[in-house]
Amino acid sequence: MSVNLAEAVEKLEKDSVMQEVQKRLDNGEDVLRILEECRNGMTVVGDKFQAGEAFLAELMLSGEIFKEVMKIIKPHMTQEASQEKKGTVIMATLQGDIHDLGKDIVVTLLEARGFEVHNLGVDVPVGALVEKVKEVKPDFVGFSSLLTPNIQVMKQTVDLLVENNLRDKLKVMIGGGITTDKAREFVGADFQTLDANEGVNYCVSVMEGN
Amino acid sequence: MPKETMTRWERVWAAANGEKSDRVPVIPVYGPYGATFQGMSQGDYYRDIDNAGLEAMLKTFDDVGGWDAIWGSGVGFDRKYWNLAARYPMEVKEPGTDTPDDYVIQLHEREVLFYDDYDRIAELGYRKFFDDEVIFRISNYTPESLHEAKKQVVKTIMKAKTLWEQRDVNLYYTFGDIVPFFTLSLGRSLIRFTEDLYYKPEKIHNALRRMTDDIIEQGLKAAKHSDRKINFLVCERGSAYHYPLDIFEKFWMNYVKEIIEAWFAEGIITNFHLDTDWTKNLPSFKKNLPKHSFILELDSTTDLINAREIMGDHCCIKGDVPASLLSLGTAEDVDEYCRKMIREVGRDGAYILASGCETPIDTKRENFLAMLNAAKTSFY
């Protein structure tokens, strides 16, 4: 009997998901359909998290399952399918901060929802971020931080994007424990959240024109 | 203006016991901000934390007219305090040494405890296991340099304690440790530990059992020789933001309850330093832990007013001027926030005003003063 992949992801049944994905690949099932089912499971977990009905643990574990699924699915994907993307995002923890947990959770969720993500890591110099924006022309840049001095660095970065005429071509998101709406205003960002899934939903809704 | 009628410690102790003091006590989470206040770089502060760094902390205290108790060990936390005194299983990145002079000190999380280490912790106890093995996974200490550094830690803490006491102010807590659940999460790393909890939890209980017994014993031993009976436990993970309540009850409260009860039986009140949102966990604190056996020190992620509503007069609450308000807000904003908390959370006493977690290094001078002043002018 076939396992409902979306449900299994939602219930965090890792072994069952991996076995089912392998079985379906062996049977020649369409990889995009497999991926979509897993993605649906993750979306349910993410929406529940955002509604306060699920926990960060579950959001993370569903993301980990999805990453494992991607590892075995990727070699089976056609070049066309691999390149299909919902949008492009640059994620970074800027200069002065080396925390990466929150940012990496957002990266996993964005990838699972079909975004191409350039994760620049931590302690990223402002100039390097701007150069990357010039190179990949993203739809979004996201900054995550746990330290208040980093709010100034976020502002410097946004100012530099303005100077380089890049700001109006993308949306800026900020997140992490010390960010607030007041910080968003100060930085000149479009969006602020403490909730990884809310950030992902923001990207989805912008790309869908909502 | 009414006059103070209590000593600093009497004021703190009354609030800790759920009573009204003469005025609202104030105890910021304080260390590296002392350097900022004195115009010293973070690099300079950490390069000479035991002397110039400590001097900056003392001088700032003097310059602002003091406050009611000193959070922590009375000295700033550099690598040797995080790793050797607090035994955090994480690499420490110090400004001026590992990072540029103007950075904030940071702890770098990676997997330094492995799955089988649960057995080693259960067998040896966390302290011995950390001192014998973990410290060498996260630092460049050698057995010889480790020995010297430990001696230095003890010496400086004793020196700091004396210098603070000369100013008629005490260290806030006598003994501090990490909630065992949090130690394991930091050492294993958040994702690996979460996988262990969900997919192979058996060994975790054995480690938690041993760590709990050890913390009870060490906390009792430390408090026995002190007339100040506040111990300290930190946890930044375990709330219903991170985990479902059944995991919290089984792996967190089940063990922490034992610690609090054992300490409280000897007259010790525990200050919980709890980051992230604990709102959904608060009913469990109220149900499981004796009245006035603990203080909730919250970081502004948990709504403090809501926390008071849930806890009623069951415990003292400490907090929680948000970090971003201290760094970005105005003195008027800070004053307004503090007075609101004093009115709503400290109405019947059992309240200590404080920064929500650390006082950030970019706190505006006038905002720090506004926080202290709000408490110093709020009499019962």
Side-chain angles (χ1 to χ4, degrees), chain B residues 95-259:
Chain B
T97 311
D98 309 309
T99 56
D101 259 27
D102 57 347
Y103 275 35
V104 177
I105 191 164
Q106 292 170 72
L107 305 181
H108 178 54
E109 178 166 329
R110 64 180 176 87
E111 187 180 343
V112 298
L113 294 179
F114 306 103
Y115 186 66
D116 288 339
D117 287 341
Y118 291 125
D119 294 336
R120 304 275 290 140
I121 293 169
E123 183 197 346
L124 297 171
Y126 176 71
R127 286 190 164 211
K128 181 160 175 48
F129 179 59
F130 182 91
D131 292 353
D132 289 354
E133 294 188 35
V134 181
I135 185 65
F136 302 110
R137 299 178 189 174
I138 56 171
S139 72
N140 294 323
Y141 285 115
T142 62
E144 296 72 35
S145 66
L146 184 64
H147 181 68
E148 278 311 305
K150 278 184 181 170
K151 279 202 315 204
Q152 183 62 34
V153 168
V154 174
K155 201 173 138 192
T156 307
I157 289 176
M158 295 314 291
K159 179 175 92 172
K161 186 171 179 286
T162 305
L163 289 168
W164 288 114
E165 284 173 357
Q166 283 169 2
R167 285 159 170 78
D168 197 25
V169 65
N170 293 107
L171 302 188
Y172 177 48
Y173 52 85
T174 300
F175 171 81
D177 213 322
I178 317 170
V179 168
F181 181 95
F182 186 37
T183 303
L184 297 178
S185 177
L186 292 173
R188 285 286 286 140
S189 80
L190 179 61
I191 290 176
R192 294 289 88 75
F193 182 62
T194 302
E195 286 174 337
D196 296 346
L197 283 169
Y198 275 76
Y199 300 127
K200 40 183 184 176
E202 302 76 21
K203 289 184 177 198
I204 299 177
H205 280 296
N206 300 334
L208 290 174
R209 173 75 271 142
R210 176 64 191 263
M211 294 166 87
T212 301
D213 293 342
D214 290 349
I215 287 181
I216 289 173
E217 191 190 325
Q218 286 141 13
L220 289 176
K221 208 193 299 178
K224 199 173 178 178
H225 302 291
S226 173
D227 50 1
R228 294 170 296 104
K229 304 285 186 192
I230 295 180
N231 282 354
F232 174 91
L233 284 177
V234 56
C235 187
E236 297 168 10
R237 291 173 194 167
S239 73
Y241 170 73
H242 283 97
Y243 296 105
L245 288 174
D246 63 328
I247 284 187
F248 166 76
E249 292 295 341
K250 244 188 281 177
F251 293 90
W252 201 100
M253 183 54 85
N254 190 28
Y255 295 97
V256 169
K257 183 178 183 333
E258 284 187 38
I259 299 172

Side-chain angles (χ1 to χ4, degrees), chain A residues 10-90:
Chain A
E10 187 193 336
K11 289 181 182 165
L12 309 176
E13 292 166 348
K14 187 177 172 182
D15 292 344
S16 164
V17 170
M18 301 316 292
Q19 282 163 18
E20 180 66 15
V21 169
Q22 193 58 60
K23 194 174 98 187
R24 292 196 194 184
L25 286 172
D26 294 344
N27 291 340
E29 197 171 307
D30 177 17
V31 289
L32 289 182
R33 200 179 135 194
I34 300 173
L35 211 54
E36 192 55 32
E37 275 192 49
C38 294
R39 194 170 278 162
N40 289 342
M42 265 197 82
T43 304
V44 172
V45 177
D47 289 345
K48 281 188 175 176
F49 175 72
Q50 204 177 323
E53 293 161 10
F55 307 88
L56 187 68
E58 295 164 354
L59 193 67
M60 282 186 318
L61 292 181
S62 65
E64 289 302 298
I65 292 173
F66 194 86
K67 276 202 257 184
E68 291 300 311
V69 168
M70 278 306 286
K71 272 187 207 163
I72 56 169
I73 272 191
K74 224 164 189 173
H76 299 265
M77 288 174 87
T78 61
Q79 206 183 352
E80 200 174 87
S82 308
Q83 284 170 351
E84 202 174 286
K85 61 181 183 190
K86 204 162 253 171
T88 304
V89 187
I90 291 179

